[in-house]
Amino acid sequence: MRLKGKTALITGAGSGFGAEMARRFASEGAIVICADRNAENAQAVASSIGASAHAAACDVSSSDSVKALAEKAAAVTGRIDVLVNNAGISQQPRRIAKLPEAEIDAIFAVNVKALYHAAAHILPVMVAGGGGSVINIASVTAIRPRPGMTWYNAAKAAVISITQSMAGEFAENRVRVNVIAPGVGRTPMFDAIFKDPKKADEAHDRLVETFPLGRLSKPSDIAGAALYLASDDAEFVTGIVLPVDGGRLIA
Ligand SMILES: NC(=O)c1ccc[n+]([C@@H]2O[C@H](COP(=O)([O-])OP(=O)(O)OC[C@H]3O[C@@H](n4cnc5c(N)ncnc54)[C@H](O)[C@@H]3O)[C@@H](O)[C@H]2O)c1
């Protein structure tokens, strides 16, 4: 029970990596708040976990919505020990100047500016409770960008930079801030990028060849890394970038 006594708030917990983190954290004793823009999915994940999970509807790109989430989450146990800023959106593969401006704005609002809203509304609850662990979710594409995904890659690079700045600013408050850089995994996000299931299958098979460990990432890989960073095993770890990518960065 590595998270016994801790309350964890996970954004984007209605699907993919976030849903698995919620399940894993709860199985390790945490009270979890599953936040997602898709309220139905957040509720389904929370219900599947049971009494230790709560669902909350939240759009992480909206200051008012994140403020309401912080209040709702704080009301559950009076504290927030772990925050996973996991909610994210990707982009259609396009050359740099071919993505519509509105999509670029949305990518930055959800993946990047959400960290501003979290710092403004959720971090104060953690600080008031004496500290905790913030885990931001970036991507290996931030570190090794490839063509066609420029704006998503850049947004995730910003997540890494902001994480390191946050770690410096909040160290005196005993809030650790780290970032996980997952390698690509076949979550609903993956299939949404390719739209056509056949194209998604082809992309999957092509990508597997580029992973030294011979497969794409799974939600359980990311949940395991997040569990470590959330737990007291990582009590002296802050400001790090943890790739969870089957060796993709060294390929
Ligand atoms: N799947 C991958 O290949 C991959 C690789 C590297 C990094 N990531 C990152 O991991 C995180 C989780 O991705 P996933 O693959 O599980 O995707 P997913 O699409 O399965 O889940 C993302 C969840 O975030 C929610 N969400 C989106 N916008 C939101 C908003 N404005 N407010 C609140 N919730 C919102 C969605 O409703 C969804 O439930 C994302 O930040 C993503 O960028 C994914």
Side-chain angles (χ1 to χ4, degrees):
M1 287 292 195
R2 292 162 74 188
L3 299 183
K4 200 165 173 45
K6 294 191 195 293
T7 300
L9 169 55
I10 302 165
T11 69
S15 175
F17 296 163
E20 187 59 21
M21 286 186 236
R23 286 190 273 268
R24 187 79 190 272
F25 284 15
S27 76
E28 291 287 346
I31 303 288
V32 293
I33 294 112
C34 304
D36 205 290
R37 182 170 61 179
N38 184 324
E40 212 174 299
N41 285 355
Q43 188 56 60
V45 172
S47 300
S48 74
I49 293 169
S52 58
H54 304 258
C58 174
D59 176 353
V60 298
S61 66
S62 152
S63 176
D64 287 348
S65 189
V66 175
K67 187 167 185 278
L69 173 65
E71 283 160 11
K72 183 166 182 176
V76 173
T77 63
R79 52 187 302 112
I80 300 170
D81 302 286
V82 178
L83 166 65
V84 188
N85 289 306
N86 164 77
I89 55 171
S90 189
Q91 68 163 93
Q92 300 305 308
R94 292 271 187 287
R95 287 181 67 86
I96 186 164
K98 295 288 182 195
L99 200 68
E101 246 186 284
E103 277 192 49
I104 296 170
D105 291 344
I107 287 165
F108 276 85
V110 177
N111 294 291
V112 181
K113 207 164 160 204
L115 301 182
Y116 167 73
H117 301 315
H121 301 305
I122 302 172
L123 269 287
V125 181
M126 300 179 76
V127 170
S133 170
V134 176
I135 301 157
N136 296 328
I137 305 299
S139 169
V140 284
T141 62
I143 302 164
R144 187 172 172 185
R146 292 167 204 248
M149 300 291 282
T150 302
W151 301 105
Y152 177 73
N153 298 344
K156 293 304 194 183
V159 170
I160 291 178
S161 175
I162 292 164
T163 300
Q164 291 165 331
S165 297
M166 279 177 89
E169 286 195 14
F170 285 94
E172 65 181 8
N173 305 113
R174 298 293 172 263
V175 178
R176 301 182 291 103
V177 190
N178 295 292
V179 57
I180 294 173
V184 66
R186 191 148 187 193
T187 63
M189 175 180 278
F190 182 95
D191 284 83
I193 292 171
F194 296 98
K195 288 189 178 136
D196 174 1
K198 196 162 156 273
K199 283 205 173 121
D201 285 345
E202 285 165 9
H204 171 273
D205 294 348
R206 235 182 9 255
L207 280 161
V208 163
E209 297 298 318
T210 69
F211 278 69
L213 289 184
R215 63 168 173 82
L216 302 192
S217 73
K218 295 189 290 195
S220 57
D221 299 317
I222 314 308
L227 171 61
Y228 164 67
L229 291 172
S231 76
D232 293 340
D233 288 341
E235 70 177 1
F236 204 52
V237 177
T238 196
I240 69 155
V241 184
L242 177 55
V244 180
D245 70 339
R248 168 101 153 142
L249 279 176
I250 50 156

